[in-house]
Amino acid sequence: MADTNDNDSGSTDDLLGGLEIESTADIQVPENLIDQVIGQEHAVEVVKKAATQRRHVMMLGTPGTGKSMLAKAMADLLPKEELQDVLVYNNPEDNNTPKIRVVPAGKGKEIVDAHKLEARKRMQARNMFIMIFVFGIIIYSLYTGMLIWGIIAAVLIFMVMRQFMPKEEAYIPKLLVSNAGKEKAAYVDATGAHAGSLLGDVRHDPFQSGGLETPAHDRVEGGAIHKAHKGVLFIDEINTLGLESQQNLLTALQEKEFSITGQSERSSGAMVKTEPVPCDFTMVTAGNLDALRGMHPALRSRIKGYGYEVYMSDTIPDNVDNRQKLVRFVAQEVIRDGKIPHFDSSATKEIILEARRRAGRKGHLTLKLRDLGGLVRVAGDIAHSENADMTLAEHVLKAKSIARSVEQQLADQYLERRKDYKMFEQEGSQVGRVNGLAVMGSDSGIMLPIMAEVTPAQSSSEGRIIATGMLKKIAREAVDNVSALIKKVSGKDTRSMDVHIQFIGTYEGVEGDSASISIATAVLSAFENIPVDQSVAMTGSLSVRGDVLPVGGVTYKIEAAAQAGIKTVIIPRSNMGDVMIEDEYKDKIEIVPVSNITEVLDKSLIGPEKKKLIKTIKKSYAFPKLNLGLTDNIPVSSVPAPQ
C-alpha cells in the first residue's frame, strides 16, 4: 500500500508552502483582524461589503471556523460615526416613564458629574438649614426650661424633614450607555443572553413607598442592543433565544430604538417603561445549520432582506498558498496566547500534517482552527514546561497524545471494555457476524460488531426483518429493504423466515450510512451459511447497483481497528485519498479498497461457497439499494460499562 500520508497536492517536504523559516517568529502577522482570518475568503468579502453598507450578516457553519472572529473584525470595519452616550432622567410628570437623552460620546459623564455636584450643594444647604433649625429649637427650649421636650421635638422635626423634603438623587440622571474614550464602534457579544441582558431591564425595588423607594430612572439597566448602538451586536446560536426575545429583537432592528421595561411581570420594574432608547446596531448572528429551524421566520427574513447569509467553509484545498496561511495561523496563535514559545519549522510541519488529517478529505486542510489552535497551545505549554526556547516536533507529538477529545478518551475505554468482555472477535470465522466500524463524536473510531441470524418466521403470513440496537427512524426503515436483497441474490422465498439484525453495544442509537456493507455481509453470510473472517473489519455504503460509496471518518475507523487487533480493513476505494493514519498503525493493518459488494464478499467471506454467491450477485442486473442510513456516528453518551 502506498504511503497514505502523501498528498497529491504536495509532499511532506513542502509542508510549509515553500517558506524558508527557522520558526514562526519569522512570520509577519497582519495587524488588522480581518486579515488574520484564514481560508474564509468568501465570508471576508461579504463582511467587508456588509460593514461598508452597515448590513446585517448571518453566518452558518461548523463551530471553530472563524465566525466570532469575523464579527469582531466587522466592528473595526464599520464606517466612522459620531458615537453617542445615552442618559436616562427622572420624569416628574410620570415617575414610571423615565426620559431619555442622547448626547455626544463623553458628554454623558460630564453631565452626570455636573448634576452630582449640584445635588451635593443642595444637600449641604438643606442639611445646614435643618441643623440650624434643630439647634434653634434646642436653644429655645434650654432658655424656657423645657430642654427634654425641646430635644424630642428637635429629633421629630429632623426625621420628618429628612423624610419628606425632596431628595437630590432624583434629579441626578443615570448614564445608561457610555462611549467615553472610545474611538471605534462597540462590539457586544450577546451570546446566551437572557431577555433582560439583551433588551434591557428595570431592577425590582422592594421599597416601593414611604420615601424609601429608589427613583425609577435609577433602576433602569441598558441591554446589549443599546450598548451596541452604532456598533456590532453578535449573537451565536441565535435559535436558543426564545421566540418572544427574537420578536423584540426584530422590532429593535426595524425601529432602531427600543424602550426598556421590566422583564419580570411580578417585579415592580414591570410598571416602568422608558421613552424609546436608540439601538441602531449592525447584527451578526451565527450558528450551525440547525439554527435555522429554531429561528423566528420574520427575523431571518429581515436579515435576508437587509443583509447577507454566509455558509462557512470547514476545509480548504491543500495547496502552497493555503499551507502558507496555516503557517501564519500558527504564528498568530503563538502571539495571541503570549505565553508559549514560537514553533520551529519541524513543529509547524506537524501542525499542518494534523490539519490534513483532521480535514478527513483528500487534498484538503481543515478550517476548524479553534480545535487546531488548542493543539498549538498544548504543544506550546509542553515546550514551556521543559524551558525550551522553541516548540519542537516532539512537543507537538506529545500534545497529540495528551490533548485528546473526550470522545477519543471514551473510545479507548470503550475498546478496552469490549476486549475484556470479548464483544468482538479478532481471529477465526463465524457465520453472520461482521466487525463493523463507527465514529464516536467527530474524531474517534470504535468497533461496532453486527450479527445476523435467519430463523423460521413467527408470523404465518410473511417473514420480517427484525433489527435491534435502538435504530433511528431512517435506519429502521432502510433495514426493511434487506428482504429485497435476499430475494434478489438468492431467488428464494423469504416469507417463511425472519431475519434478525443486531447492533451490539449501541445503547443510544444508530445513525449514518457507513454500516451498509457490514449489514449486507452479515445477512448474506447468515442466509447462505458462509463464515465471515473475524480478522476483517469494514466500513462503507452501498448504491442501488452494489457500488461501495465513500463514508466519513475512515482514518479514525482504521486506527480503531488497528488498536483492536484487526488485521485487515475494507474501505471504499474512493476514500483511499482520505486515509492519513498515524505512522504507528501503518505496519499493523492492511487497508483494502473496494468498489463493489462482490469485492467485499470476496475479501471477508471464507470457504468455497462464497464463489457461488459472488457469481450469483454478478449475474444480477442491478444490486438492490442498501443505503441503510446506519452507524456513521454513535453518541458520546452511549458508553456504559457492559453488564
Side-chain angles (χ1 to χ4, degrees), residues 189-198 224 234-242 286:
D189 188 346
T191 300
H194 57 76
S197 177
L198 177 66
F234 175 64
I235 304 178
D236 200 358
E237 304 298 343
I238 189 170
N239 56 310
T240 59
L241 284 178

Side-chain angles (χ1 to χ4, degrees), residues 34-338:
I34 191 70
D35 296 326
Q36 296 180 18
V37 178
I38 306 292
Q40 304 290 354
E41 283 75 15
H42 172 63
V44 167
E45 189 65 25
V46 167
V47 165
K48 287 181 177 179
K49 288 185 173 68
T52 302
Q53 299 294 330
R54 295 187 63 85
R55 307 291 190 196
H56 307 302
V57 179
M58 180 167 67
M59 294 183 283
L60 301 177
T62 307
T65 51
K67 298 186 288 290
S68 59
M69 188 174 181
L70 282 167
K72 290 179 181 179
M74 190 170 180
D76 296 334
L77 297 174
L78 288 178
K80 295 292 184 182
E81 291 194 33
E82 183 180 351
L83 300 181
Q84 297 174 327
D85 291 344
V86 179
L87 297 162
V88 56
Y89 285 80
N90 177 58
N91 186 348
E93 298 178 358
D94 184 358
N95 186 50
N96 288 326
T97 309
K99 293 180 174 294
I100 298 297
R101 180 185 177 189
V102 179
V103 298
K107 292 293 183 181
K109 188 175 185 305
E110 295 179 7
I111 293 173
V112 171
D113 289 343
H115 277 79
K116 286 182 177 179
L117 180 61
E118 182 66 23
R120 192 177 298 113
K121 291 179 179 179
R122 290 180 181 178
M123 185 182 299
Q124 291 173 349
R126 183 192 66 184
N127 291 340
M128 181 63 68
F129 171 75
I130 293 175
M131 293 302 295
I132 292 174
F133 187 71
V134 167
F135 278 113
I137 293 175
I138 294 174
I139 293 172
Y140 177 77
S141 63
L142 179 63
Y143 279 107
T144 58
M146 302 173 60
L147 180 61
I148 301 293
W149 290 106
I151 293 175
I152 294 174
V155 171
L156 291 175
I157 292 173
F158 176 80
M159 293 177 63
V160 169
M161 295 182 71
R162 289 278 299 178
Q163 183 71 19
F164 293 102
M165 288 187 70
K167 295 183 178 180
E168 286 72 17
E169 293 85 350
Y171 300 101
I172 301 176
K174 181 176 181 178
L175 187 56
L176 201 62
V177 177
S178 175
N179 283 303
K182 298 180 182 178
E183 297 182 356
K184 63 180 182 179
Y187 168 80
V188 179
D189 188 346
T191 300
H194 57 76
S197 177
L198 177 66
L199 306 169
D201 205 347
V202 179
R203 290 182 282 110
H204 175 68
D205 184 6
F207 305 102
Q208 300 178 36
S209 61
L212 299 176
E213 68 274 9
T214 302
H217 77 283
D218 204 33
R219 294 185 282 123
V220 175
E221 302 290 344
I225 62 173
H226 307 110
K227 296 173 183 177
H229 181 53
K230 300 296 184 182
V232 170
L233 178 72
F234 175 64
I235 304 178
D236 200 358
E237 304 298 343
I238 189 170
N239 56 310
T240 59
L241 284 178
L243 289 180
E244 183 179 355
S245 293
Q246 292 190 45
Q247 180 63 54
N248 289 329
L249 187 60
L250 173 62
T251 301
L253 282 174
Q254 293 172 330
E255 304 297 332
K256 300 185 186 303
E257 58 183 16
F258 192 83
S259 297
I260 299 175
T261 187
Q263 296 298 324
S264 174
E265 61 182 13
R266 297 183 179 181
S267 167
S268 63
M271 297 294 295
V272 178
K273 186 175 182 180
T274 69
E275 293 180 344
V277 182
C279 55
D280 184 10
F281 56 86
T282 301
M283 187 169 72
V284 179
T285 65
N288 300 322
L289 279 177
D290 60 0
L292 297 178
R293 291 196 293 268
M295 192 172 179
H296 196 295
L299 180 59
R300 185 188 175 191
S301 176
R302 180 76 184 184
I303 295 174
K304 289 179 67 177
Y306 295 88
Y308 299 85
E309 291 185 345
V310 180
Y311 186 75
M312 306 291 286
S313 303
D314 55 11
T315 63
I316 49 175
D318 184 8
N319 55 39
V320 170
D321 289 342
N322 288 333
R323 285 179 225 144
Q324 291 182 359
K325 291 177 182 177
L326 279 186
V327 175
R328 194 187 78 206
F329 164 75
V330 177
Q332 289 175 184
E333 290 298 296
V334 172
I335 293 174
R336 186 175 291 119
D337 186 88

Side-chain angles (χ1 to χ4, degrees), residues 28 153 234 248 265 290 323 382 423 541 554 617:
Q28 184 175 1
F234 175 64
N248 289 329
E265 61 182 13
D290 60 0
R323 285 179 225 144
I382 294 173
M423 296 176 69
S541 180
V554 289
I617 295 175

Side-chain angles (χ1 to χ4, degrees), residues 595-630:
S595 300
N596 54 65
I597 189 62
T598 58
E599 295 178 9
V600 176
L601 298 175
D602 183 52
K603 190 65 181 178
S604 59
L605 298 183
I606 296 176
E609 294 297 323
K610 76 174 182 180
K611 293 183 179 179
K612 180 181 176 181
L613 175 62
I614 292 172
K615 185 176 180 180
T616 302
I617 295 175
K618 288 182 176 179
K619 288 181 179 179
S620 301
Y621 172 73
F623 200 83
K625 184 173 182 178
L626 283 181
N627 190 10
L628 300 182
L630 299 177

Side-chain angles (χ1 to χ4, degrees), residues 12-13 15-16 344-354:
T12 56
D13 294 333
L15 283 171
L16 301 183
D344 75 349
S345 59
S346 66
T348 308
K349 288 179 181 179
E350 286 295 335
I351 294 295
I352 296 176
L353 279 174
E354 186 64 16

